[in-house]
Amino acid sequence: MKKDEMEPKSQIYFLDVYKSYDSKLVLENIDLAVRFGEFCTVVGPSGCGKSTLLRLILGQERPSHGTSLVNGKPIGAATPDRGIVYQKYSLFPHLSVLDNVVIGRRLMMPWTRWLREKKAVKEEAMGYLERMRLVAHAHKYPFELSGGMQQRVAIAQALITKPQILLMDEPFGALDPGTREDMQLFLLELWENIKMTVFFVTHDLEEAAFLGTRLLVVSQFYTDDRGEKAVRGAKIVGDYKLPRAALSTQVKKTAEFASFVSQVRTEGFDPEFRRHARDFNLHHPDSFQTLTDEESDR
């Protein structure tokens, strides 16, 4: 897909985005177009910049160079149209489950408006807890809940602000394997009902390959025509369209699934495997790439 064809169709659009911290180049020449309603999972080696990419979309960070847009407008400071869920639960221990969900709206309102709308907001929060299957726990405190239940409260806390994009940074990383798999199925069911855009960062390759409509592989392990001494940041080295249906977790046991996970592990995580930038696996129909003349000296 050509870059000029993707911009007007994209909810998230990055063109030639670089991000550095002082002299350290983290992300280099990131090109990305994401349509409304996609569920993107993101994997890559530790320190490659996955969470940095998430923060750029959220607006917590600004690109050092390049174009970054949400809904056709430059990304500014973080706003309620982009919700965030972290690995460490963003819950207040002194508040009940219900009040933890309500606070997502309460903090957005002047005091006088809150007094007028408090009852309606609490009713709305109970609706989200019903969707999260947590109504019976509304008046408990976070320490009384399991890890999976706490994470569902954190998701409700993000959703009540009605974001168009839900950003998730290793949200299930602290959960045990059984609970983690339950949460994967729960999130798929939720996404299929709500149909918002989800951007999900994980270090778990099976999780990334199982969830979502699209898998992005971010890695600093690649080569180009700039020579061995060039300083390189991470790029999107793989971009795959995933089959999307209400999958059973049994798919994880198939040879095809295992082969795909192995391929992602090799191309993104193996420092000995360095594909040339011209030959990245950018198979998703919305992928596009803008290499500099130095990167691709043809």
Side-chain angles (χ1 to χ4, degrees), residues 6 18 20 30 47 58 67 98 102-104 114 123 158 166 169 198 203 223 248 250 269:
M6 280 313 306
Y18 292 71
S20 300
I30 298 293
L58 181 61
T67 300
L98 176 60
V102 165
I103 201 165
W114 167 245
E123 289 175 354
L166 183 62
D169 194 358
V198 176
H203 68 273
T223 188
S248 162
Q250 292 299 309
F269 291 76

Side-chain angles (χ1 to χ4, degrees), residues 13-19 27-31 53 56 63-68:
Y13 182 79
F14 279 32
L15 174 65
D16 298 337
V17 166
Y18 292 71
K19 181 60 182 178
L27 295 174
E28 179 176 10
N29 206 359
I30 298 293
D31 299 313
L53 180 59
L56 289 172
S64 302
H65 174 76
T67 300
S68 59

Side-chain angles (χ1 to χ4, degrees), residues 27 42-55 169-170 199 201-203 218:
L27 295 174
V42 186
V43 296
S46 178
C48 72
K50 302 185 297 296
S51 294
T52 299
L53 180 59
L54 198 82
R55 290 193 297 270
D169 194 358
E170 304 277 6
F199 213 83
V201 170
T202 179
H203 68 273
V218 179

Side-chain angles (χ1 to χ4, degrees), residues 164-222:
Q164 296 181 19
I165 301 168
L166 183 62
L167 303 164
M168 310 186 81
D169 194 358
E170 304 277 6
F172 306 150
L175 304 179
D176 64 79
T179 303
R180 185 172 193 146
E181 196 162 78
D182 288 343
M183 285 299 297
Q184 290 168 5
L185 293 171
F186 173 79
L187 182 59
L188 277 177
E189 179 184 339
L190 183 68
W191 171 79
E192 288 175 349
N193 288 330
I194 295 179
K195 289 298 185 187
M196 69 172 56
T197 304
V198 176
F199 213 83
F200 186 105
V201 170
T202 179
H203 68 273
D204 187 312
L205 297 185
E206 284 194 353
E207 182 170 72
F210 176 69
L211 290 173
T213 59
R214 183 175 185 177
L215 172 60
L216 300 167
V217 185
V218 179
S219 180
Q220 65 273 47
F221 302 139
Y222 64 90

Side-chain angles (χ1 to χ4, degrees), residues 38 52 65 122 126 128 159 181 190 199 252 283 291:
E38 281 200 82
T52 299
H65 174 76
K122 287 192 173 184
M126 287 297 289
Y128 279 102
L159 292 181
E181 196 162 78
L190 183 68
F199 213 83
K252 297 179 182 180
H283 297 321
L291 296 178

Side-chain angles (χ1 to χ4, degrees), residues 214-253:
R214 183 175 185 177
L215 172 60
L216 300 167
V217 185
V218 179
S219 180
Q220 65 273 47
F221 302 139
Y222 64 90
T223 188
D224 52 38
D225 292 335
R226 289 178 291 177
E228 295 182 3
K229 294 183 179 180
V231 176
R232 296 180 174 86
K235 290 179 177 286
I236 296 174
V237 303
D239 187 354
Y240 293 94
K241 182 178 175 62
L242 298 175
R244 182 70 273 135
L247 295 174
S248 162
T249 56
Q250 292 299 309
V251 72
K252 297 179 182 180
K253 300 178 181 179

